Amino acid sequence: LVVPHIYFARQLGDLASTQGQNPETVSAEQEGALKEGSGAMITKTVLRDFVGLEHVDEHIKKALLDFSYHLACGDIDQAYKSVKGVQSTGVWESMSKMCVKTGRLDVAQQCLGQMGHARAAGALRACCEPEADAKLAVVAVQLDMIEDAELLLKKCKRWDLLNQLYQACGEWDKALEIAQTKDRVHLKPTHFAYAQHLEAVEDVQQALAHFEHSGTYRTESPRLLCSLGLTDDLAAYVEASEDPQLHRWYAQYLESKADLEGAAREYRKAADWLSLCRVACFNKELEQAQKICEETQDHAACYHLARHLEAEGRIKEAIHFFQMAGRVSHALRLAQEHQFDGDLMSLALSSDPASMAQSAKYYEQRGQPAKAVVLYQKAGYQKRALELCFSARLFDALR
């Protein structure tokens, strides 16, 4: 043992067998020894704690020996003091890597500080994971020790972090495999991230497939196809789908392009009766809009048509569709404003008590106390109904 190397005496037969298996690993000195016919050969290997530090001076060598000794004894303070005066960045980097392999997170923090590796120190400080191995994996990644980081994350069973590591390294097959077998909660986000990667490299078909796996295809797939100007592919993609939300999005897209006929077709596939009625009203196809409302009985579509008919001055029809929409208060308002007393009574009787009382007050002001008494009674205003009976001399109503 001569630090930083350890020497081994090897028999010639062992060396020859090694050469036969892998000639590239045999040095020139070993080949010379074989040719000379020596009986044994001395080989050397760098000690684990001195990997990358084979050519340091005696002062640093002694400091590293003291560091390894105190570290093996568990005396962290003395180990750190023994190398505190070392100024070589390479030495501190090698020590940081050694700390990752030996699992000494506390010493690794000191080494990163001495190295001046601000990014690694900041990443370690920002890491809030409870597992020490997960923090060591962060240090390993910053030191470009990807395989060691992978082993550490597997050891502490942090499959979510391992998934992120594979994604960052571009190993998407491994990331998807981990997500499918160990990290199911992040399966859809992994598919989404892979789809974004495929979009960046313009692999459109695979990107669409992974957007579907991620559950974001309703917005992301149309966005991707539109951004690439593939309008024909977009039409075919939507046509092949049976998702109502996707058809609604495409209908809105066509409507924005002034293709109202195509928009109406897609709104019908999406069963969006309100939008279909709105398009028909915009095209002045009121009969078509009325047919849609009568067939579907959709409250939102009926309400939109009623407001449109009110603006057109078609009050009777507007009252009818307000009633179909369940907006009796609007129907009562129109009936009172336009003095449709015959329609008002039937509407009031099917409304809530507050609307009944309001309609009764309207009839009272219009000089029709008999109808007002009926509505007050139905609304629960018995006292007001009695007062009105006596004042209007409606004795039959009292019975």
Side-chain angles (χ1 to χ4, degrees):
L1 174 63
V2 180
V3 178
H5 298 95
I6 182 170
Y7 291 83
F8 297 93
R10 305 181 63 182
Q11 295 297 323
L12 185 60
D14 296 337
L15 190 63
S17 62
T18 302
Q19 184 184 26
Q21 292 174 1
N22 191 1
E24 295 181 359
T25 61
V26 180
S27 64
E29 295 178 358
Q30 294 171 344
E31 289 182 359
L34 289 172
K35 291 177 181 178
E36 292 174 2
S38 302
M41 177 65 189
I42 304 298
T43 59
K44 65 180 180 180
T45 302
V46 179
L47 292 170
R48 185 189 65 176
D49 293 358
F50 289 85
V51 173
L53 304 173
E54 298 90 339
H55 305 292
V56 296
D57 56 32
E58 290 297 325
H59 171 69
I60 296 178
K61 187 187 298 183
K62 183 179 183 303
L64 290 176
L65 278 172
D66 293 339
F67 173 80
S68 298
Y69 172 74
H70 290 301
L71 194 63
C73 294
D75 193 347
I76 303 300
D77 294 335
Q78 288 297 327
Y80 180 67
K81 288 179 181 178
S82 63
V83 292
K84 191 174 181 180
V86 176
Q87 301 298 324
S88 172
T89 303
V91 172
W92 288 108
E93 183 177 357
S94 297
M95 290 173 60
S96 299
K97 292 181 178 180
M98 181 189 69
C99 291
V100 170
K101 292 182 178 295
T102 56
R104 301 308 299 264
L105 178 62
D106 47 356
V107 183
Q109 290 176 318
Q110 302 292 339
C111 294
L112 291 176
Q114 292 292 338
M115 285 173 59
H117 200 320
R119 185 181 72 248
L124 181 58
R125 190 178 299 112
C127 181
C128 301
E129 305 300 338
E131 300 87 352
D133 287 336
K135 294 181 179 179
L136 276 172
V138 172
V139 178
V141 169
Q142 298 297 327
L143 296 174
D144 200 22
M145 301 170 65
I146 304 302
E147 293 182 359
D148 295 273
E150 182 180 349
L151 293 174
L152 287 167
L153 292 174
K154 287 181 178 179
K155 180 181 177 182
C156 64
K157 297 183 179 180
R158 287 303 303 270
W159 309 114
D160 54 335
L161 298 179
L162 183 60
N163 186 357
Q164 294 177 14
L165 176 63
Y166 284 145
Q167 291 183 35
C169 295
E171 298 182 3
W172 292 103
D173 292 337
K174 291 183 178 180
L176 288 171
E177 182 182 356
I178 286 293
Q180 290 170 355
T181 57
K182 303 289 188 180
D183 189 28
R184 296 284 298 180
V185 71
H186 293 115
L187 178 58
K188 288 187 176 181
T190 303
H191 279 292
F192 181 74
Y194 188 31
Q196 289 182 315
H197 168 74
L198 292 170
E199 179 183 353
V201 299
E202 298 185 357
D203 190 346
V204 177
Q205 295 302 321
Q206 286 297 317
L208 291 175
H210 285 279
F211 276 135
E212 290 180 359
H213 291 314
S214 69
T216 60
Y217 65 94
R218 295 182 182 92
T219 55
E220 294 298 327
S221 294
R223 177 196 57 77
L224 170 60
L225 294 172
C226 285
S227 64
L228 297 176
L230 303 174
T231 54
D232 294 338
D233 293 337
L234 174 61
Y237 181 79
V238 175
E239 185 66 26
S241 175
E242 297 181 358
D243 192 299
Q245 294 187 28
L246 192 58
H247 283 287
R248 184 182 296 112
W249 184 94
Y250 190 50
Q252 293 171 345
Y253 171 78
L254 293 175
E255 187 177 356
S256 69
K257 299 295 184 181
D259 185 1
L260 298 183
E261 183 179 352
R265 182 178 63 253
E266 294 300 324
Y267 278 133
R268 187 176 292 278
K269 291 180 180 179
D272 189 350
W273 309 119
L274 170 60
S275 298
L276 187 60
C277 180
R278 177 174 52 78
V279 170
C281 291
F282 180 80
N283 286 332
K284 305 297 183 182
E285 298 174 353
L286 296 183
E287 292 183 1
Q288 179 66 21
Q290 291 180 16
K291 183 179 179 182
I292 293 168
C293 292
E294 295 286 353
E295 290 177 353
T296 64
Q297 300 290 314
D298 185 77
H299 287 185
C302 291
Y303 180 77
H304 180 83
L305 178 58
R307 294 300 298 266
H308 187 81
L309 291 170
E310 181 184 356
E312 293 283 333
R314 299 167 64 171
I315 306 302
K316 282 279 189 180
E317 294 168 292
I319 291 174
H320 171 67
F321 284 103
F322 272 132
Q323 191 175 9
M324 285 184 62
R327 302 296 192 272
V328 180
S329 59
H330 286 283
L332 288 171
R333 173 182 56 81
L334 284 181
Q336 292 177 21
E337 288 177 357
H338 295 84
Q339 300 179 2
F340 293 151
D341 295 349
D343 295 327
L344 179 61
M345 188 63 182
S346 61
L347 289 170
L349 289 172
S350 63
S351 64
D352 58 276
S355 299
M356 286 184 189
Q358 185 182 5
S359 300
K361 187 176 182 180
Y362 167 81
Y363 278 121
E364 187 179 349
Q365 293 172 350
R366 294 278 296 171
Q368 302 181 41
K371 292 182 178 180
V373 168
V374 173
L375 291 176
Y376 275 132
Q377 186 179 6
K378 291 284 186 182
Y381 291 81
Q382 303 296 342
K383 183 179 178 181
R384 181 56 187 160
L386 288 171
E387 291 175 355
L388 190 56
C389 284
F390 282 113
S391 63
R393 306 180 70 80
L394 300 173
F395 299 113
D396 292 337
L398 284 173
R399 298 192 184 96

